[in-house]
Amino acid sequence: EIKDPDQRVDEQRTVDSTSSEHRLSIDMDADRAYVGFVRRRYLTGHDAYINISTNQGGTWRTGDTRLNTSWSPGSFDGDMQQVIVSSGGDNNVYALMVRRDFITKDAYAVSSADQGMTWSTPFNVTTYASTDAKYQALAAAPGGKAHIVVQDERDSGGGFLGYWSIWLRSTIDGGQNWGAWQRVNQLESALRERAEMPTVCADDSG
């Protein structure tokens, strides 16, 4: 069923000059819908937000929630370029934010154990010395399980050589802890390679 008319998801601001930009994300869990998006205040940094519908998108919660709470609103230090959301099909919901930088891109994970009503403090999952975590994906499963994959240059020895690999990091406790990085692509020779554009999905077993 196509709902008509269109529903506004982000909270309309009357004071700030704002824009909601590209790279939105949506996930569904029964009647609940989660939408992540990036908003920019005029001449400031980009903030990550999420909003929730409990009736399949028919109406949306009044007042969206900012996720990059480790930084002040509009801070260039917490300047976000993307939000990826994924529901585990239980009370757990996850979001992955990508922080802008002139040189590197770090990925920050937040989690909610109450269907998006409250959120954890952002955690930098890309805690290694990397030149760039270029592309990212997120998938959640029931039982507190979620997986993050990124494409990065850690095999390049810190240089901009264009050698990419795909790495995965997982949680089994609702985002309270994240395991060690696991390489996904197999290095078939001593030569460095380019493995690009990762995506990930998870079934009910995790």
Side-chain angles (χ1 to χ4, degrees), residues 10-193:
D10 63 317
E11 180 183 355
Q12 186 172 3
R13 305 297 172 117
T14 58
V15 178
D16 299 329
S17 176
T18 66
S19 63
S20 295
E21 302 197 352
H22 62 294
R23 299 195 179 186
L24 286 76
S25 175
I26 186 170
D27 199 17
M28 299 287 295
D29 176 10
D31 288 340
R32 300 179 73 87
Y34 303 90
V35 171
F37 57 95
V38 173
R39 173 185 290 127
R40 183 184 186 187
R41 290 176 172 81
Y42 183 62
L43 295 180
T44 65
H46 300 69
D47 290 319
Y49 284 86
I50 192 167
N51 205 351
I52 301 170
S53 170
T54 59
N55 58 358
Q56 299 182 342
T59 58
W60 292 85
R61 187 178 59 185
T62 301
D64 39 36
T65 301
R66 190 170 69 91
L67 298 177
N68 55 328
T69 53
S70 291
W71 304 270
S72 58
S75 168
F76 285 109
D77 291 332
D79 196 18
M80 298 296 168
Q81 71 171 19
Q82 184 177 13
V83 184
I84 306 170
V85 296
S86 184
S87 170
D90 47 18
N91 290 332
N92 295 296
V93 189
Y94 309 85
L96 184 66
M97 306 176 291
V98 181
R99 186 171 70 92
R100 298 170 184 261
D101 196 293
F102 289 109
I103 299 177
T104 63
K105 290 183 176 68
D106 289 330
Y108 288 81
V110 292
S111 57
S112 171
D114 54 11
Q115 297 183 314
M117 299 306 296
T118 59
W119 291 86
S120 65
T121 300
F123 172 71
N124 186 358
V125 294
T126 48
T127 51
Y128 50 84
S130 174
T131 56
D132 200 2
K134 190 172 180 64
Y135 296 102
Q136 312 81 21
L138 168 68
K145 301 172 184 176
H147 310 282
I148 292 169
V149 291
V150 300
Q151 167 191 326
D152 72 42
E153 289 183 304
R154 72 182 76 179
D155 292 328
S156 292
F160 296 93
L161 302 179
Y163 300 125
W164 301 97
S165 286
I166 309 301
W167 297 80
L168 178 143
R169 196 173 186 184
S170 303
T171 179
I172 58 174
D173 58 8
Q176 297 182 54
N177 298 281
W178 291 87
W181 286 105
Q182 304 290 327
R183 182 193 297 275
V184 175
N185 61 300
Q186 180 179 353
L187 293 178
E188 298 179 353
S189 70
L191 297 176
R192 291 168 174 157
E193 62 184 34

